[in-house]
Amino acid sequence: SAVISQKPSRDICQRGTSLTIQCQVDSQVTMMFWYRQQPGQSLTLIATANQGSEATYESGFVIDKFPISRPNLTFSTLTVSNMSPEDSSIYLCSVASGVAGYEQYFGPGTRLTVT
Amino acid sequence: AQSVSQHNHHVILSEAASLELGCNYSYGGTVNLFWYVQYPGQHLQLLLKYFSEDPLVKGIKGFEAEFIKSKFSFNLRKPSVQWSDTAEYFCAVSGYNKLIFGAGTRLAVHP
């Protein structure tokens, strides 16, 4: 399985500001994903990021709020823009692996608190 | 629409007790099913996966899960839990190149 790192591991931000989260993988992968895990809740997919194309966002998530970059096959960033306290969550990146590409392996997450 | 339902939100067991966590899914196509585990302070890890082979799937740390197509279920089992199994467990179904997660079950195992 791939080794995934995220930066920062946690941050406390003021409302109205933006934070960019980095995700680095130790091998080349086609599909990367960004999830949100709100306190006490399950994981919700924000978007799928494929290298060389625009990210595909899930219902309820928009590019202006969560712009994503995918400059190469080992790296992606997620920006949380114009933050509000409701954005306080753990943000996780994952990569698809396995024969069918359906298995996903997750990074350690970025714990974001917005005050 | 795809969905995953986990029936138990919190489970408390004593060590050596048997465990079964329920998971039901809704998906019209060929399913790939997963159980993930998140130990306290650690990141999400893949526990086991079902990819259309033997319906009884064995995973790490003595866990297993049984896929019952007629019941749309993929329940997680362990015959004897340990204190170190204290964690949150997530069932997930894969379709259209994405994972849909259930709400999770928090398991607490008391010595």
Side-chain angles (χ1 to χ4, degrees):
Chain A
S1 61
V3 176
I4 305 166
S5 60
Q6 286 185 232
K7 289 182 183 179
S9 59
R10 59 178 64 225
D11 207 342
I12 301 172
C13 302
Q14 291 193 337
R15 70 170 67 213
T17 63
S18 298
L19 176 72
T20 295
I21 302 167
Q22 299 178 6
C23 178
Q24 180 76 52
V25 188
D26 69 343
S27 58
Q28 293 187 337
V29 293
T30 302
M31 299 179 74
M32 293 179 76
F33 306 86
W34 286 98
Y35 288 83
R36 181 173 72 183
Q37 187 178 19
Q38 293 181 298
Q41 297 189 28
S42 187
L43 286 81
T44 302
L45 180 64
I46 297 171
T48 302
N50 292 334
Q51 195 267 338
S53 64
E54 294 287 327
T56 302
Y57 289 83
E58 296 299 304
S59 175
F61 298 96
V62 294
I63 187 171
D64 291 345
K65 176 68 175 176
F66 297 102
I68 288 171
S69 78
R70 182 79 201 274
N72 56 52
L73 291 173
T74 63
F75 186 78
S76 178
T77 67
L78 170 76
T79 300
V80 186
S81 303
N82 188 25
M83 288 183 284
S84 65
E86 292 71 35
D87 294 319
S88 297
S89 290
I90 298 173
Y91 291 86
L92 302 104
C93 71
S94 74
V95 301
S97 184
V99 174
Y102 296 139
E103 290 177 52
Q104 290 187 27
Y105 295 91
F106 286 81
T110 296
R111 184 180 293 272
L112 170 62
T113 302
V114 184
T115 60
Chain B
Q2 300 164 276
S3 65
V4 178
S5 175
Q6 292 183 242
H7 316 298
N8 316 101
H9 297 295
H10 291 92
V11 173
I12 301 173
L13 294 173
S14 298
E15 275 193 318
S18 64
L19 170 72
E20 180 160 2
L21 302 182
C23 173
N24 286 92
Y25 66 92
S26 171
Y27 181 61
T30 302
V31 290
N32 299 302
L33 295 156
F34 306 85
W35 277 96
Y36 284 85
V37 60
Q38 190 168 31
Y39 297 103
Q42 297 188 27
H43 64 276
L44 209 59
Q45 301 172 39
L46 181 64
L47 196 56
L48 50 77
K49 60 191 178 188
Y50 171 76
F51 267 60
S52 302
E53 59 264 7
D54 189 335
L56 185 61
V57 180
K58 303 240 183 248
I60 60 172
K61 303 186 180 185
F63 286 91
E64 65 179 30
E66 185 175 10
F67 170 62
I68 303 179
K69 187 175 181 180
S70 61
K71 295 184 178 181
F72 298 92
S73 70
F74 189 57
N75 292 354
L76 181 70
R77 301 195 293 245
K78 186 170 184 179
S80 176
V81 295
Q82 301 172 312
W83 176 79
S84 58
D85 293 324
T86 294
E88 187 156 19
Y89 294 81
F90 294 94
C91 182
V93 61
S94 175
Y96 304 113
N97 290 329
K98 60 184 181 182
L99 283 178
I100 306 298
F101 283 86
T105 297
R106 287 186 183 273
L107 172 65
V109 180
H110 295 304

